[in-house]
Amino acid sequence: KEYFKTKILREAGLLPPPSSLSGYEYMIVIDFEATCDREKSTNYPHEIIEFPAVLVNVDRCEIVDSWRRYVRPTVNPVLSSFCTDLTGITQETVDKSEDFPTVLQHFQAWLTEKRLGIEHAFAIVTDGPFDIARFLYLSCMHNQIEVPTWATRWINVKKCFVNFYRKDSRSRVNCLQDMLVRMNLKFEGTPHCGLDDATNIARVVTRLLKDGAKLRVNERLDLPGQKDRRFYNVAPVPREEATAWLKKCQQNL
């Protein structure tokens, strides 16, 4: 319903610029690759081994930059064969990479270089809750550093996709491929390559923006000790809280 309402407004020339709808000038799409094993366990100490970011200009509805670093794990420094087969990341690659705290500093320097959070308001975009609430959170915990403020709330694009395009209550998407197929797009690159995954998620984001979707933060970290923890460390963000977060981001510029 929302898509068709927006389509009518867009065709009538009544739709404002995308940044006016979302409030953010830029969106940063991330899709981490992390250490893993064939035996799936909720207690596995995942560590980020690929840290990619794809920058989307909201008003231009296009990808304008990307950034990537590989990361050397320290809890489980030797990658499992399953992890290497899945991600394509080799032991040699991580061995010659820097550790997570150092890579996080490099990413923060990239944000500063782009004046993100200084002159331009931005939001993090993910395909689901795992990247922040599990991979980033655990990597910070392993290294005894605080989760960066910019990562405490994010846009789960899958939720935005379903809410904007759904035709009925049965409309669901389970993965990135589902979203691409419904948009008549083909995956570009190699699945489970973090940068390629993030780039394809960014393609979904740009299409949503072009179609007039209002992307707002819809998930946040719900750290241990806080009430009503539901899914790992994730809690939904209601509209009022999303608006308050946007105002805070804008006031910090």
Side-chain angles (χ1 to χ4, degrees):
K1 293 181 179 179
E2 190 65 27
Y3 167 70
F4 291 107
K5 289 179 183 178
T6 304
K7 183 179 180 181
I8 292 172
L9 291 173
R10 183 174 63 253
E11 291 174 349
L14 300 175
L15 201 64
S19 62
S20 298
L21 291 173
S22 72
Y24 297 101
E25 297 171 81
Y26 290 90
M27 293 183 179
I28 301 175
V29 181
I30 60 172
D31 193 85
F32 300 122
E33 296 302 321
T35 55
C36 55
D37 207 344
R38 189 176 303 277
E39 298 297 327
K40 295 182 179 179
S41 170
T42 56
N43 296 319
Y44 188 87
H46 297 284
E47 298 173 86
I48 293 172
I49 54 175
E50 183 185 356
F51 193 137
V54 175
L55 184 63
V56 172
N57 182 302
V58 173
D59 272 341
R60 288 163 56 183
C61 301
E62 64 181 32
I63 296 170
V64 293
D65 200 4
S66 63
W67 181 95
R68 174 171 64 179
R69 294 290 188 279
Y70 291 103
V71 185
R72 174 169 48 83
T74 56
V75 176
N76 288 309
V78 178
L79 302 181
S80 68
S81 58
F82 174 78
C83 183
T84 296
D85 291 342
L86 179 69
T87 65
I89 299 172
T90 66
Q91 188 67 46
E92 180 183 6
T93 296
V94 297
D95 283 346
K96 66 183 182 182
S97 299
E98 295 175 301
D99 61 10
F100 176 75
T102 304
V103 170
L104 186 60
Q105 289 177 357
H106 289 318
F107 180 68
Q108 187 61 53
W110 182 71
L111 294 179
T112 300
E113 176 191 337
K114 298 296 179 182
R115 311 304 289 170
L116 297 167
I118 301 173
E119 296 177 5
H120 309 295
F122 74 94
I124 297 294
V125 181
T126 67
D127 176 24
F130 284 94
D131 290 279
I132 300 294
R134 196 162 190 182
F135 301 150
L136 183 65
Y137 172 70
L138 284 176
S139 291
C140 288
M141 186 176 69
H142 295 324
N143 291 278
Q144 299 182 333
I145 57 179
E146 291 187 8
V147 175
T149 301
W150 49 259
T152 57
R153 289 167 179 78
W154 61 92
I155 297 169
N156 180 340
V157 72
K158 198 177 299 178
K159 289 184 176 180
C160 297
F161 185 99
V162 172
N163 290 334
F164 187 67
Y165 293 117
R166 66 181 174 187
K167 297 179 180 178
D168 55 55
S169 59
R170 295 170 295 177
S171 297
R172 295 183 61 185
V173 292
N174 296 314
C175 61
L176 170 59
Q177 184 62 26
D178 288 346
M179 292 188 286
L180 291 171
V181 168
R182 294 195 186 189
M183 289 178 161
N184 294 317
L185 298 174
K186 292 184 178 181
F187 188 96
E188 296 179 353
T190 304
H192 298 296
C193 163
L195 183 58
D196 287 351
D197 285 346
T199 300
N200 282 280
I201 296 167
R203 293 171 65 213
V204 171
V205 170
T206 59
R207 174 67 71 82
L208 278 161
L209 292 171
K210 288 176 182 177
D211 285 349
K214 181 177 181 180
L215 305 185
R216 64 177 181 85
V217 294
N218 50 25
E219 289 183 341
R220 64 174 171 83
L221 274 179
D222 192 23
L223 300 179
Q226 296 178 348
K227 296 181 179 180
D228 299 326
R229 251 195 330 147
R230 297 177 181 177
F231 179 70
Y232 294 106
N233 301 315
V234 181
V237 173
R239 189 177 301 274
E240 295 77 12
E241 184 179 337
T243 300
W245 175 255
L246 171 60
K247 289 181 179 179
K248 182 179 179 180
C249 292
Q250 293 171 333
Q251 289 170 355
N252 288 337
L253 300 179

